[in-house]
């Protein structure tokens, strides 16, 4: 098992396991039911009840109806009374209308703080759409939306599955919308007529409603044949909600607003009486409001909304007067679908409102049967009581149909109702249930992996000589460890199985079907592996003395990294995570500033006040000459640069609406400055790339030319997308997809060229190598005496050449990454790429322990590695937020996914979007690994430091992940679970995926080096011998 | 405590006690008058003046009858020295101002608040040092060129300065929280944080001296004194 500890990529494997763990966690966290997206047809209506035939189409027919759905945003239950809405109250009193208590789905997430400039409008609109989603989704599809619905519909918030509007559209109904344009976005193309008002300006509460009401007169006047002009009309009034947001539920403006709404009800009701066909008016709120005016909680005032049903033509409410029975929001969908003579939407779980149920007993029973059968089709377990009840009801219904017994009908009705009640309870429960077993198991797993990684990291941080394998270790038999492994594996498997049975969980994880059994076995395997790694890590980690070299800045880095994760216990610290990072980063920069000033001032004071002391302290002299006096002003300039970059993109939630530099730059009158940013950013990146070319082999000219060509491609791409003006108009007409393709080819060519020159293929072709080839094998001049290998390979400088190759490949990767990222970035963000390089370079220089610590002659390699790894993680995080990312799904830049793509291809789009979003962590990580390669003097040293860095990065990632999983677990019933905690969970998941990807790239570079080195050696030796 | 025979230590203690009294009193009074949240505005300038006077008085106390030599040098202080000191303080204030903006204060607006904060920081950190030991020595002390031993006036002043800056720094933590309270306005948390840090430093000094004097009787208290000594940030 020690070999696992010694293995250089154990960290990466453990990270991969953690990825599995977080996947399990996500599986348990996001409610189990996913919407099937099944579309329903009228032919689905059952024509046989237990063999007794019935004409489904004919019985289902509800007559000719025109339905008006009047949604009053923020209408809470106590508003629909005679006090506030006299006419409606009157209708309710004389039983011409029915009122229900409708339960909205909590949490109905708060509206973002609005008042934003143009560019932010889109972002905020999108957020609002998601928030809106749940209520409208429930009313129109008849099913409770899950977070997965939102996440899976990423970027296109339209409802993909079945809905009332879809079935109505399929039937050719005339659907009309007046009101919030979110409806148009959710159900595009399904409206025959619409006028969407933007709900954007919360300060406006008269105009939004007038925009809806102004169409009423035209739409309500009947057609020539005295029938209504429409089949389905949606009116969405926002004014009430806006008043609530502005002034609260006790505002004096509420009452006039409700009177206005009441007048509209009156208008519609009187108009309905004039039609030949039946008119049905459904008035409801989508959510309530707190007394303070907001909404977003699960309190009664926010969740309970009235649902008033009015029908023309001698309708009388069957319920006793009073508050009315309780119904669910999802009941609206099947009701409307039935009224429109359309089939019930595919995923609906609601019932038809009892007041509208037909009096005809045959039709009544048939409708109950349709709904129950519809529910039963959605994967209800057949061994439950309510399913048996449904079957009993069905047989009674069949008996009624064949014999006409009234008693059978009565029994059937009762059974149907009982069964339906239980069914909807069950269906709602399954949509909102967490899979507790998976959650708990995943968290435990992640913690195990975290501890294992901790020991792997600590082990790797030991000084080299401690890691010598003792003789006894080598003599241990393999058989013993195999048996030990098998025993622990069996134990963990048994414990898991017993856990499954003891908790009596319904989790799929314990279902023991073949697919899940694999996951089950893997989990047991992982537990075993983690156990052995922890065990041998505990035994073998003896000497952590290098950690004593940590200075104040290292402690700041370690404590800051540890603390940052725990800050997620506050929702605002998740929403404003950038603030935490900015604070840490500022602290770090402040510390470094003070220390560099102290070093410089000390040097000068010693120099001027006591000239001899400089000679006494040569190490001070050497420290100074390493960085030069310029470090202080440079560092101050860096602070200023960071201050500027911070203003570039407002992010987070609270101050999102504030104008930022990006807004200013994107204004048309400032396009010159925007282009200046773009050009300066691109050219600086080019300069950095050219500077990095020195690590590649001696065909520098070719590398430089290729790099310049790639940059030209980028500039041309910018010109074709109108981000850059140019005197050469011809370029504008070029195809930008072609340009990007050329760009890719250049990058590929560069890599392949490097590898081929390494192998020495050009020499074989007779091309003369310049003398300074880095990839030339030579025998080292002095051979140590005690060199006892007689293997002929060893005397050659294989390791040195390998190190050169690793350096070269790392820098090629870094260069390419920078070039790709400036291609993907928004014009104003291009400047980030060189900034990251500069920051990484200067920070690495200033964090050097030799510069800052006055004690000379210590081995600070480990402390340096630790500090640098952490500081690069910090730089990545800070720039991640500078770039405008946040922990809200709305900040994902979808546009970057389509750069240079002709056709949609999910994988490529996802890769581009991912690289764009995680550009900063990727670049800073790459800079770190390049620096490791460039600074290492021998190959083992390089491998060692890469080993340490990999472990530290993996540890940080898994630490954050496991802690966050605990937090998400604790807060799973929190108000903001869908708006704050879940997106962050997704972000963490994606970050882990990319961390795995990034570390794999480094591993690939190493493997590639070994392979290429092997190939070239076999070629070179052949030629030499 | 009054068994302290070390004159300097006694001075340190008394001046720390004074700070522990006068700053909380100011804060209490203004919070009772309901204007605590206006400390970031220019209208609260009189608080700064009060602090200035108090610090000046304290520095006179600290430097008084120290020994004959310093007395002589103080008598020799001329107008040019005062001008130089003020120039230096203005420079420090400007540095604070720029520094605070660099570390995240609003760039284009609310300069008033930033200015008030930087004045307060100057008054609580650099001013006592300069008033006590003069410009040159203060600079040398700041950059660690000149070292100082523990339990001296200078050590106390440097410690105060460090904790004051630390307090202001920590005050910024509450700004992003979504509590929407009036005291989350820039620069109130940092302002109060700075005062809090300063008071804390003084409380710690008093506590330490108390422990030290009591440690003569109860030896185990030395343990706490050692901890306190460790806590004092050293360069």
């Amino acid at each position: 098992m020690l070999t696992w500890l010694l293995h250089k990529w154990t960290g990466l494997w453990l990270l991969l396991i953690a990825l599995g763990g977080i996947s399990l966690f996500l599986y348990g966290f996001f409610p189990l039911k996913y919407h099937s997206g099944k579309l329903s047809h009228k032919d689905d209506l059952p024509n046989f009840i237990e063999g007794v035939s019935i004409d489904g189409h004919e019985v289902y027919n509800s007559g000719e109806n025109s339905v008006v759905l009047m949604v009053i945003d923020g209408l809470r239950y106590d508003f629909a009374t005679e006090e506030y809405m006299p006419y409606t109250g009157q209708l309710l009193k004389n039983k011409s209308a029915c009122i229900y208590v409708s339960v909205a789905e909590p949490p109905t997430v708060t509206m973002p703080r609005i008042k934003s400039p143009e560019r932010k409008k889109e972002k905020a609109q999108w957020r609002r759409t998601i928030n809106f989603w749940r209520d409208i989704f429930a009313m129109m599809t008849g099913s409770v939306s899950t977070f997965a619905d939102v996440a899976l519909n990423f970027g296109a918030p339209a409802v993909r599955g079945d809905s009332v509007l879809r079935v109505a559209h399929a039937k050719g109904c005339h659907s009309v919308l007046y009101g919030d344009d979110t409806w148009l976005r959710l159900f595009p193309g399904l409206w025959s007529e619409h006028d969407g008002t933007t709900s954007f300006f919360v300060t406006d509460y008269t105009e939004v409603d007038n925009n809806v009401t102004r169409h009423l007169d035209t739409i309500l006047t009947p057609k020539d044949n005295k029938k209504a002009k429409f089949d389905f009309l949606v009116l969405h009034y926002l004014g009430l909600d806006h008043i609530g947001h502005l002034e609260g539920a006790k505002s004096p403006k509420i009452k006039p607003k409700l009177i206005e709404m009441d007048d509209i009800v009156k208008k519609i009701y009187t108009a309905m009486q004039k039609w030949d066909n039946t008119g049905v008016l459904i008035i409801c709120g989508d959510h309530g409001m707190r007394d303070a005016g907001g909404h977003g909680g699960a309190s009664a005032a926010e969740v309970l909304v009235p649902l008033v049903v009015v029908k023309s033509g001698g309708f009388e409410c069957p319920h006793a007067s009073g508050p009315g029975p309780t119904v669910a929001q999802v009941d609206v969908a099947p009701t409307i679908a039935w009224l429109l003579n359309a089939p019930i939407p595919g995923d609906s779980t609601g019932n038809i409102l009892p007041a509208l149920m037909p009096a005809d007993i045959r039709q009544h029973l048939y409708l109950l049967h349709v709904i129950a059968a519809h529910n039963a089709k959605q994967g209800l377990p057949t061994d439950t009581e309510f399913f048996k009840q449904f079957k009993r009801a069905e047989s009674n219904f069949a008996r009624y149909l064949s014999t006409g017994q009234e008693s059978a009908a009565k029994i059937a009705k009762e059974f149907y109702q009982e069964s339906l009640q239980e069914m909807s309870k069950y269906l709602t429960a399954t949509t909102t249930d967490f899979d507790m077993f998976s959650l708990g198991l995943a968290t435990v797993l992640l913690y195990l992996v975290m501890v294992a990684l901790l020991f792997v990291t600590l082990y790797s941080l030991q000084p080299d000589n401690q890691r010598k394998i003792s003789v006894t270790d080598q003599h241990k038999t393999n058989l013993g460890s195999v048996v030990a492994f098998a025993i622990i594996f069996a134990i963990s498997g048994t414990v898991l199985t017993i856990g499954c049975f003891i908790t009596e969980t319904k989790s799929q994880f314990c279902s023991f079907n073949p697919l899940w059994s694999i996951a089950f076995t893997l989990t047991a395997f992982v537990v075993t592996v983690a156990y052995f790694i922890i065990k041998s890590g505990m035994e073998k980690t003896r000497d952590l003395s290098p950690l004593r070299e940590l200075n104040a800045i290292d402690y700041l880095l370690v404590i800051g990294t540890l603390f940052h994760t725990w800050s997620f216990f506050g929702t605002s610290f998740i929403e404003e995570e950038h603030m935490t990072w900015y604070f840490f980063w500022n602290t770090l920069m402040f510390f470094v500033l003070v220390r560099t000033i102290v070093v410089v001032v000390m040097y000068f004071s010693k120099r001027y006040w006591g000239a001899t002391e400089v000679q006494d302290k040569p190490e001070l002299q050497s420290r100074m000459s390493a960085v030069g006096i310029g470090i202080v002003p440079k560092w101050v300039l860096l602070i200023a640069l960071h201050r500027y970059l911070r203003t570039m993109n407002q992010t987070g939630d609270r101050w999102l609406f504030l104008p930022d530099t990006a807004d200013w730059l994107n204004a048309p009158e400032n396009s010159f400055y925007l282009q200046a940013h773009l050009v300066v950013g691109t050219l600086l990146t080019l300069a950095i790339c050219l500077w990095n070319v020195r690590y590649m082999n001696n065909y520098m000219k070719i590398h430089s030319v290729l790099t310049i060509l790639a940059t030209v491609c980028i500039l041309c791409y910018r010109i074709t997308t109108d981000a850059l003006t140019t005197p050469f108009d011809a370029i504008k007409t070029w195809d930008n997809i072609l340009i990007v393709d050329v760009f890719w080819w250049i990058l590929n060519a560069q890599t392949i060229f490097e590898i081929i020159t390494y192998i020495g293929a050009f020499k074989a072709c007779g091309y003369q190598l310049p003398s300074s080839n880095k990839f030339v094998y030579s025998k080292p001049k002095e051979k140590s005496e005690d060199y006892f290998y007689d293997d002929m390979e060893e005397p050659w400088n294989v390791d040195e050449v390998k190190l050169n190759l690793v350096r070269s490949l790392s820098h090629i990767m870094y260069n390419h990454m920078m070039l790709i990222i400036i291609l993907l970035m928004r014009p104003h963000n291009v400047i980030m790429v060189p900034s990251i390089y500069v920051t990484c370079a200067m920070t690495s220089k200033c964090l050097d322990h030799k510069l800052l610590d006055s004690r000379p002659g210590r081995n600070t390699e480990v402390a340096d590695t630790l500090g640098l790894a952490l500081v690069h993680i910090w730089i990545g995080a800070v720039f991640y937020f500078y770039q405008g990312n946040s922990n809200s799904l709305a900040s994902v830049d979808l546009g970057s996914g389509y750069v240079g793509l002709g056709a949609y291809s999910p994988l490529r789009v996802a890769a581009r979007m991912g690289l764009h979003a995680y550009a900063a962590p990727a670049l800073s990580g790459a800079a770190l690994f390049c620096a490791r390669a460039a600074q290492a003097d021998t190959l083992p040293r390089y491998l060692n430091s890469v080993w340490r860095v990999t472990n530290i990065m993996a540890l940080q990632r898994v630490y954050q992940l496991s802690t966050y999983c605990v937090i998400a677990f604790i807060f799973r019933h929190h108000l903001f679970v869908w708006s704050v905690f879940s997106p962050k969970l997704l972000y963490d998941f994606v970050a882990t995926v990319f961390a795995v990807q990034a570390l794999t790239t480094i591993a690939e570079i190493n493997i590639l080096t070994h392979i290429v080195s092997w190939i070239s050696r076999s070629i070179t030796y052949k030629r030499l011998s | 405590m009054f068994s302290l025979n070390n004159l300097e230590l006694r001075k340190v203690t008394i001046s720390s006690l004074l700070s522990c009294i006068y700053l909380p009193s100011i804060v209490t009074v203004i919070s009772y008058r309901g204007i605590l949240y206006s400390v970031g505005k220019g209208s609260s300038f009189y608080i700064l003046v009060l602090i200035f006077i108090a610090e000046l008085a304290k520095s006179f106390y600290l430097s008084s009858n120290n020994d004959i030599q310093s007395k002589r040098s103080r008598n020799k202080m001329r107008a040019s020295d005062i001008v130089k000191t003020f120039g230096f303080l203005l420079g420090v204030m400007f540095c604070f101002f720029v520094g605070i903006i660099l570390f995240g204060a609003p760039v284009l607006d609310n300069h008033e608040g930033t200015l008030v904060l930087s004045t307060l920081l100057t008054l609580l950190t650099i001013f006592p040092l300069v008033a006590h030991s003069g410009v040159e020595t203060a600079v040398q002390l700041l950059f660690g060129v000149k070292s100082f031993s523990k339990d001296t006036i200078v050590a106390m002043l440097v410690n105060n300065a460090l904790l004051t800056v630390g307090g202001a720094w920590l005050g910024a933590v509450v700004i992003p929280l979504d509590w929407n309270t009036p005291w989350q306005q820039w620069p109130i948390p940092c302002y109060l944080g700075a005062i809090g840090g300063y008071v804390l430093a003084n409380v710690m000094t008093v506590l330490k001296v108390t422990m030290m004097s009591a440690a003569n009787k109860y030896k185990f208290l030395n343990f706490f004194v050692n901890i306190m000594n460790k806590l004092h940030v050293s360069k």
Side-chain angles (χ1 to χ4, degrees), chain A residues 22 24-26 28-30 433-444 446-447 503 568-569 574 960-974 977 981-982 984-985:
Chain A
I22 182 74
L24 185 63
F25 191 88
L26 286 181
F29 197 76
F30 293 118
D433 246 11
F434 296 101
D435 183 347
M436 298 300 283
F437 188 80
S438 304
L439 291 185
L441 184 66
T443 315
V444 171
L446 283 172
Y447 259 87
T503 52
F568 290 150
F569 269 102
I574 297 180
Q960 195 178 333
L961 208 57
S962 52
T963 315
Y964 189 71
C965 280
V966 172
I967 293 171
F969 185 78
I970 293 172
F971 288 115
R972 67 190 180 282
H973 295 305
H974 192 275
V977 66
F981 288 106
S982 304
K984 174 69 187 159
L985 200 58

Side-chain angles (χ1 to χ4, degrees), chain A residues 113 571-573 575-576 579 583 586-587 589-590 597-598 601-602 605 609 636 639-640 643 646-647 654-655, chain B residues 100-107 140 142-145 165 169-170 172-173 175-180 184 235:
Chain A
R113 292 124 182 137
T571 47
S572 23
F573 281 126
E575 280 179 319
E576 316 292 337
M579 287 291 187
F583 186 75
N586 274 343
T587 314
M589 288 204 295
F590 182 66
I597 289 181
V598 165
V601 171
M602 252 170 104
S605 60
W609 282 316
V636 173
I639 296 176
R643 183 72 188 86
R646 261 176 90 163
T647 63
R654 226 177 130 191
W655 291 282
Chain B
I100 293 169
I101 285 185
L102 279 185
F103 285 121
V107 184
Q140 291 177 21
L142 276 179
F143 292 118
V145 177
V165 174
W169 195 257
L170 274 184
V173 170
I175 295 180
L177 293 168
D178 64 349
W179 301 338
N180 291 325
Q184 279 173 302
K235 278 186 180 173

Side-chain angles (χ1 to χ4, degrees), chain A residues 71 212 401 515 933:
Chain A
V71 181
V212 179
L401 284 179
L515 212 60

